[in-house]
């Protein structure tokens, strides 16, 4: 790497430290509303904690990872110094200030509205302004990624954009467009009320604007993991990427299909017509396409590795894989969790089946399994891969890393599988208190207790992870070494123009957003009398 | 011709096939969502193709019978916000306080002392100002029914009501008992999550306080239980978002008794 080592390290350290703090909050919440002790505390403190946990985990942590990884990719894949290093630092500080500004009112109990805001609840304006600043910081990253790619293209006319950078910029563009929803909701609907200029708020419209961001943000979290699947894992396990072109198709399809599907979060909302709900459900199903493409391509890449290592026969190559290599474990665990989570997701996005689990703990279980499991475990692996490159020091033993990944995998399954079960049994989400002596709730007590234990295992794993990173940074310096991305089997082949740029996919992304969102938004914005009185949170005289 | 160093025809074929696929998907999903699905619902299918599509698209329509759609009187005319209570007072604070004190003379006969802790009139000392103000306005506007309070509030101006609110807000409250030596009923402490009843304490103090929610300590059992019954049967309906009506409707008789007893016994008995 050239100039951005400190920049990337700053992003990663900040991300993982704040992640550790938010993880402790999460485990406390699990304990607080679980059956392992009698609840005699303040529900408001619970919601305060949930808001802190969600704000960090949804906005701060993955954004910092995507940004840090993006800067690293830009230098490593394009093999040139990052353009706009100062701006990148400015973006980092903006994000840090925004985070502090958002979390302070949360800690003071003035913003217990959860990271999804839930108007007509209205929090301290600093909370929302903090989020806007944070997003603004990330927009600087988006601009820099696009600028760096176009500068490279200018210097290398006609050449194929490196796959890592292609995926990286796809993620940046996706974030740029999807974050427009939440920023519009804050600036036009919530802030005027939070600042006291208005007393009522159009909660229905606000929810629609948030859904614009809410689903695609999950694919923004996913992008670094997918990039790692394609450009890090095959090399790390000693194989080849089965298809570079398939990877590009997957990234392009995420750009197209992440956006026009957010209303599947609003199936129970009365302000949206059933036609649009169905349309969003149908397009949600399309996200399975890039997901299956990825699973197929990566498993094929692993098979190549297995056969290169001497594996024979139909299943012999699986045995030959390097099962004591952290990269191998990370991708396996990630796929298992993606499989369980994805299967559950099919129920969430189905207009009819959703009714059976809507707003239950099933949903919490689902997104923790996909995001906290399949995605975050790849964030760990990304850090393990990049650390020697950024610090110039070797990584600590593979055994410690494997133990950490095992703990995370087991902890996450213990946390989320019982959570799904309690959801099916009907336990609602977003509740601070449950009385497990009640007859309806007694059967759920054991599974909630197991989840609490799972959370504790996750805390252990995260602690070990931070120790590993810290230890690795204090090993003896080895000096710089070259960084290699996976080599693809089809790299010599011609890449179609559509898969070397983004014009077509951005066009489709915007067009599908318009077909799926324009009517509901215009309709709600022009409906008179649709606002309700705002409910200030933490209001005391 | 080339585009980005590529053969233009290949760009076109990608464009054509991708567009065809997506348009095909949209047309199918649109047909299923706006025509096929609604046609399976009798009330929609009978309304004609265009109406059916518009309804599936979420266009506003008046399907609710008019008497229900416009349910008559508003629950309350009061818009509560902190600005009204804090700054809507008469300019000089001292003047406002004097005005409140003198106006309160006629209230105290029922709302202070033993009458307030035993009868049907709640004690007002230390009640939150926005609560006192809103209830006075609602009595005056006949959004909360009481023959006595309608008469008592008839002559009060908006400034009078604000002054009274501030007066009572500044009074010392009766000392609380604390929960260390008595059992807190479940309905008060945790509510009933499975029946969607939040805990009383999450809005009415102790663990959470929502703007506009009164403090209940020291009000008589008969007053508290009467209010819960009136919310449950809809006689009292000045909670604009139906928050108390929804809660009270789901409470059992036993829970109403427990909650009322708990709050009425929450203050130390005053010395004789």
């Amino acid at each position: 790497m050239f100039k951005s080592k400190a920049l990337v390290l700053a992003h990663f350290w900040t991300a993982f430290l704040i992640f550790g703090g938010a993880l402790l909050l999460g485990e406390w919440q699990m304990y607080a509303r679980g059956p392992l002790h009698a609840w005699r505390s303040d529900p408001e403190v619970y919601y305060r904690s949930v808001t802190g946990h969600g704000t960090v985990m949804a906005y701060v942590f993955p954004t910092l990872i995507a940004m840090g990884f993006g800067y690293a990719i830009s230098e490593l894949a394009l093999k040139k110094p990052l353009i706009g290093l100062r701006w990148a630092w400015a973006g980092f500080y903006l994000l840090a200030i925004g985070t502090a500004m958002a979390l302070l009112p949360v800690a003071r109990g003035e913003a217990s509205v959860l990271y999804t805001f839930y108007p007509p609840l209205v929090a301290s304006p600093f909370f929302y302004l903090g989020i806007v600043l944070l997003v603004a910081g990330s927009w600087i990253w988006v601009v820099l990624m696009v600028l760096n790619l176009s500068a490279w293209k200018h210097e290398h006319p006609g050449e194929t954009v490196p796959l890592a950078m292609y995926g990286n910029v796809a993620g940046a563009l996706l974030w740029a467009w999807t974050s427009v929803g939440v920023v519009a909701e804050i600036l036009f609907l919530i802030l005027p009320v939070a600042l006291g200029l208005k007393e009522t708020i159009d909660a229905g419209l606000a929810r629609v604007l948030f859904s614009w961001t809410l689903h695609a943000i999950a694919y923004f979290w996913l992008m670094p993991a997918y990039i790692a699947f394609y450009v890090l894992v095959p090399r790390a396990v000693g194989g080849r990427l089965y298809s570079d072109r398939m990877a590009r198709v997957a990234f392009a399809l995420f750009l197209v299909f992440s956006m026009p599907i957010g209303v599947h979060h609003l199936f129970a909302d009365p302000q949206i017509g059933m036609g649009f709900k169905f349309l969003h459900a149908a397009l949600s199903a399309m996200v399975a396409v890039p997901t299956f493409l990825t699973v197929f391509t990566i498993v094929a890449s692993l098979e190549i590795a297995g056969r290169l290592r001497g594996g024979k026969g139909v299943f012999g190559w699986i045995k030959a894989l390097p099962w004591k290599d952290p990269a191998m474990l990370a991708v396996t665990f990630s796929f298992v969790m993606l499989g369980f989570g994805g299967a559950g997701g099919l129920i969430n996005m189905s207009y009819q089946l959703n009714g059976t689990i809507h707003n239950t703990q099933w949903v919490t279980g689902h997104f923790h399994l996909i995001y906290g499991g399949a995605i975050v475990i790849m964030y760990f692996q990304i850090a393990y891969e990049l650390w020697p490159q950024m610090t110039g020091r070797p990584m600590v033993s593979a055994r410690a890393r494997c133990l950490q990944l095992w703990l995370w995998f087991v902890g996450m399954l213990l946390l989320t599988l019982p959570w799904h079960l309690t959801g099916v049994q009907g336990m609602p989400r977003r509740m601070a208190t449950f009385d497990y002596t009640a007859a309806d709730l007694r059967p759920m007590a054991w599974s909630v207790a197991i989840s609490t234990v799972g959370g504790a295992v996750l805390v252990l794993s995260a602690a070990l992870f931070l120790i590993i990173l810290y230890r690795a940074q204090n090993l003896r310096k080895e000096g710089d070494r070259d960084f290699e991305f996976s080599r693809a089997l089809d790299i010599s082949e011609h890449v179609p123009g559509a898969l070397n740029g983004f014009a077509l996919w951005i066009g489709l992304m915007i067009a599908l957003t318009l077909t799926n969102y324009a009517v509901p938004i215009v309709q709600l914005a022009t409906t008179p009398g649709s606002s309700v009185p705002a409910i200030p949170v933490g209001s005391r005289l | 011709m080339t585009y980005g160093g590529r053969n233009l025809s290949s760009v076109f074929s990608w464009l054509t096939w991708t567009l065809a696929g997506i348009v095909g998907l949209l047309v199918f999903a649109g047909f299923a969502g706006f025509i096929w699905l609604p046609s399976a619902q009798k009330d929609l299918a009978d309304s004609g193709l265009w109406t059916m599509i518009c309804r599936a698209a979420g266009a506003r329509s008046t399907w609710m019978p008019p008497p229900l759609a416009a349910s008559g009187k508003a629950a309350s005319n009061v818009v509560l916000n902190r600005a009204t209570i804090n700054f809507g007072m008469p300019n000089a604070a001292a003047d406002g306080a004097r005005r409140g004190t003198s106006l309160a003379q006629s209230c105290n006969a029922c709302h202070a002392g033993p009458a307030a802790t035993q009868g049907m009139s709640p004690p007002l000392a230390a009640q939150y100002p926005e609560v006192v103000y809103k209830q006075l306005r609602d009595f005056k506007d006949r959004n909360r029914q009481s023959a006595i309070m309608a008469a008592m509030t008839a002559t009060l101006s908006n400034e009078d009501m604000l002054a009274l609110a501030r007066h009572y807000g500044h009074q010392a409250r009766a000392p609380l008992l604390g929960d260390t030596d008595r059992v807190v009923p479940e309905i008060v402490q945790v509510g009933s999550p499975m029946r969607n009843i939040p805990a009383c304490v999450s809005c009415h103090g102790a663990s959470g306080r929502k703007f506009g929610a009164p403090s209940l300590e020291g009000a008589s059992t008969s007053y508290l239980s009467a209010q819960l019954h009136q919310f449950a049967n809809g006689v009292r309906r000045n909670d604009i978002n139906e928050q108390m009506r929804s809660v009270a409707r789901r409470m059992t008789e036993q829970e109403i008794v427990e909650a009322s007893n708990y709050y009425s016994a929450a203050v130390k008995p005053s010395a004789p």
Side-chain angles (χ1 to χ4, degrees):
Chain A
M1 275 166 81
F2 301 90
K3 298 189 296 186
S4 59
K5 283 179 186 171
L7 178 74
V8 177
L9 272 178
H11 279 78
F12 274 50
W13 266 123
T14 314
F16 285 123
L17 285 175
I18 199 166
F19 157 82
L23 191 70
L24 286 178
L25 289 182
E27 173 57 359
W28 176 80
Q29 287 151 216
M30 204 70 230
Y31 175 71
R33 64 172 179 72
L36 297 178
H37 77 133
W39 172 261
R40 278 292 178 268
S41 180
D42 184 346
E44 201 281 328
V45 177
Y46 176 83
Y47 290 114
R48 205 183 286 199
S49 174
V50 178
T51 310
H53 175 82
T55 304
V56 167
M57 295 302 203
Y59 297 126
V60 186
F61 170 56
T63 309
L64 280 168
I65 296 289
M67 289 167 75
F69 192 33
Y71 292 132
I73 287 175
S74 181
E75 289 208 337
L76 294 170
L78 302 182
K79 300 193 187 338
K80 66 197 286 280
L82 184 75
I83 300 169
L85 188 64
R86 277 190 193 180
W87 279 102
W89 278 109
F92 173 75
Y93 287 123
L94 209 55
L95 193 142
I97 293 168
T99 303
M101 203 161 143
L103 290 183
L104 204 65
V106 173
R108 287 165 52 95
E110 292 164 355
S112 305
V113 294
L114 280 54
Y115 91 91
T116 36
F117 304 151
Y118 294 117
L121 295 183
V122 171
S124 152
F126 290 105
F127 174 67
Y128 305 109
L129 287 170
I131 306 264
V132 171
L133 273 192
L134 188 162
V135 173
S138 71
W139 281 348
I140 293 182
W141 165 74
V142 172
V143 172
L144 287 180
M145 289 303 97
V146 172
L147 277 181
N148 276 278
L149 179 63
S150 48
W152 182 89
K153 273 189 162 179
H154 189 72
E155 291 159 17
H156 301 80
E159 283 184 38
T160 303
V161 175
L163 178 61
M165 193 62 183
Y166 190 80
N168 181 28
V169 175
L173 293 170
L174 175 63
W175 175 237
W177 184 239
T178 187
S179 53
V180 167
V182 66
V183 170
E185 182 199 7
I186 290 180
L187 292 184
F188 299 125
L189 296 177
I190 297 182
L191 264 185
V193 183
L195 292 169
L197 306 173
K198 272 181 72 187
E199 280 160 6
T200 59
I201 185 164
D202 190 336
L205 178 59
R207 288 174 65 82
V208 173
L209 286 176
F210 195 79
S211 84
W212 169 310
T213 297
L214 183 55
H215 203 72
I217 198 174
Y219 293 106
F220 165 65
W221 302 336
L222 193 84
M223 277 296 193
Y226 269 53
I227 295 171
F229 287 155
Y230 284 114
V231 307
L232 300 181
V233 169
R235 189 258 300 138
V237 299
R240 301 275 181 281
L241 174 60
Y242 176 69
S243 170
D244 171 276
R245 193 188 281 207
M246 201 83 99
R248 287 167 199 268
V249 171
F251 289 136
L253 289 183
F254 272 124
L255 209 48
V256 176
F257 288 121
S258 295
M259 267 308 303
I261 63 177
V263 165
H264 76 228
H265 290 255
L266 305 180
F267 282 153
D269 279 38
Q271 78 276 21
I272 299 172
M274 74 167 107
F276 282 101
K277 286 176 180 170
F278 184 84
L279 197 56
H280 281 246
L283 285 163
S284 303
M286 291 303 292
V287 180
V289 176
T291 309
F292 279 124
L293 281 183
T294 303
V295 172
F296 174 79
T297 309
I298 298 306
V299 172
S301 309
L302 294 177
E303 184 180 347
I304 295 172
R307 296 203 185 281
L308 283 176
R309 295 167 63 91
K312 299 257 185 294
V314 183
F315 297 111
W317 61 271
I318 299 178
K319 220 181 134 193
L321 286 169
W323 288 107
K324 290 182 176 165
D325 187 307
M328 188 63 224
L329 283 187
V331 69
T332 308
F333 294 157
S334 181
F335 275 10
V336 171
M337 293 189 278
L338 193 65
F340 280 125
L346 291 177
I347 291 169
N348 302 343
M349 54 129 265
S350 150
Y351 190 10
Q352 282 76 13
L353 287 176
N354 178 276
T356 59
I357 44 85
H358 194 89
N359 267 346
T360 66
Q361 295 285 19
W362 168 284
V363 180
T364 336
H366 165 75
F367 67 73
H368 278 80
L369 187 52
I370 290 266
Y371 171 47
I375 296 176
V376 168
I377 208 164
M378 290 310 293
Y379 289 180
F380 296 147
Q381 183 54 29
I382 290 170
Y384 289 152
E385 290 276 345
L386 287 184
W387 229 244
Q389 181 63 29
M390 290 185 296
T391 59
R393 294 170 161 90
M395 232 314 141
V396 297
S397 78
R399 275 183 64 181
R401 282 176 281 156
C402 285
L403 174 66
Q404 187 266 324
L405 295 170
W406 266 109
L407 283 176
W408 192 261
F409 176 61
V410 171
M412 193 51 79
L413 291 185
L414 283 179
L415 175 78
T416 56
L417 295 183
W419 234 346
H420 280 80
L421 178 67
T422 51
V424 173
Q425 289 172 317
M427 183 185 258
R429 64 191 279 214
R430 306 188 198 102
M431 298 285 264
T433 51
F434 291 98
D435 174 9
Y436 294 92
T437 58
D440 294 336
L441 283 167
R442 205 173 297 137
M444 304 178 192
W446 67 271
S447 43
V448 179
I450 293 179
S451 287
T452 314
V453 174
V457 178
L458 293 177
V459 171
L460 275 182
S461 172
L464 181 58
F465 174 72
L466 291 175
I467 292 170
I468 291 174
L469 289 193
Y470 179 76
R471 287 276 307 274
Q473 206 152 344
N474 288 303
L475 292 176
R476 203 160 51 83
K477 228 177 160 95
E478 276 190 341
D480 289 350
R481 43 173 136 176
D482 284 340
F483 191 86
E484 258 190 90
F485 290 108
S486 310
R487 274 187 294 157
L489 283 187
D490 58 347
I491 194 63
S492 53
E493 286 176 34
H494 157 79
V495 172
L499 294 180
N500 203 37
F502 295 99
L504 173 60
W505 315 112
I506 294 175
L508 283 173
M509 173 174 80
I510 294 174
L512 283 181
T513 310
L514 288 178
T515 58
N516 284 18
Y517 269 109
V519 171
I521 289 178
V522 170
Q523 212 167 49
L524 288 169
T526 54
T527 301
S530 57
S531 292
V532 293
I535 302 169
V537 162
S539 165
R540 283 185 171 85
L541 275 171
Chain B
M1 282 173 74
T2 58
Y3 165 79
R6 310 290 168 186
N7 191 331
L8 201 56
S9 67
S10 110
V11 176
F12 268 128
S13 82
W14 272 87
L15 186 71
T16 320
W17 284 109
T18 319
L19 278 183
I22 295 213
V23 170
L25 178 71
L26 274 183
V27 168
F28 171 74
F31 167 75
F34 292 91
I35 298 173
W36 194 7
L37 192 62
S39 73
Q41 305 200 8
K42 198 180 174 313
D43 63 323
L44 281 176
D46 291 347
S47 60
L49 184 66
W50 180 241
T51 316
M52 194 165 79
I53 293 174
C54 289
R55 297 261 300 270
R60 266 194 309 149
S61 58
T62 48
W63 53 275
M64 211 188 269
L68 274 176
S71 62
K73 242 182 137 186
S76 173
N77 303 327
V78 185
V79 177
L80 275 187
N81 66 32
R82 278 163 283 192
T84 318
I85 305 302
N86 288 336
F87 309 113
M89 301 290 165
N91 287 337
D95 177 45
R98 274 202 298 279
R99 183 177 187 168
T101 310
S102 62
L103 281 167
Q105 298 297 325
S106 54
C107 312
N108 287 341
C110 298
H111 288 286
T117 49
Q118 290 153 23
M120 284 300 286
S121 45
L124 293 182
Q127 185 54 274
Y128 299 103
E130 85 274 10
V131 173
V132 174
Y133 173 71
K134 177 173 183 298
Q135 299 308 319
L136 286 171
R137 281 276 306 270
D138 286 348
F139 280 125
K140 188 177 165 79
D141 297 344
R142 307 290 173 96
N143 287 324
R144 184 176 171 186
Q145 305 302 329
S146 159
I148 299 172
M149 286 308 296
M152 299 303 293
T153 51
T155 54
L156 292 179
S157 70
N158 197 48
E159 277 67 35
D160 292 340
M161 292 186 270
L162 285 166
L164 276 169
R166 175 160 277 189
H167 166 77
Y168 282 113
H170 280 178
Q171 283 200 328
R173 74 157 58 245
L176 295 180
L177 264 183
D179 287 339
T180 46
D181 47 356
R182 62 195 193 120
V183 178
V184 185
E186 201 167 290
I187 188 72
V188 172
Q189 184 70 30
V190 293
S192 176
M194 292 303 279
R195 283 183 293 142
N196 210 6
I197 305 180
C200 305
V201 293
S202 60
C203 294
H204 291 284
S207 72
R209 219 305 264 178
K210 300 290 181 292
F211 191 69
S215 77
L216 303 174
E217 287 86 357
S220 72
T221 311
S222 50
Y223 171 77
L224 290 170
S225 107
Q227 296 311 309
L228 284 168
H229 283 114
Q230 286 181 12
F231 276 126
N233 61 27
V235 169
R236 183 170 170 189
R237 50 185 295 282
N238 67 329
D239 52 334
I240 49 168
N241 292 325
E242 294 201 34
Q243 57 274 54
M244 274 316 298
R245 275 173 284 175
S246 308
V247 165
R249 270 197 294 268
R250 295 192 186 102
M251 286 171 76
T252 62
E253 194 54 44
Q254 172 73 14
E255 285 166 341
I256 290 181
V257 170
E258 284 174 4
S260 306
N261 284 340
Y262 170 77
Y263 278 109
S264 70
V267 291
K268 287 185 179 149
S270 49

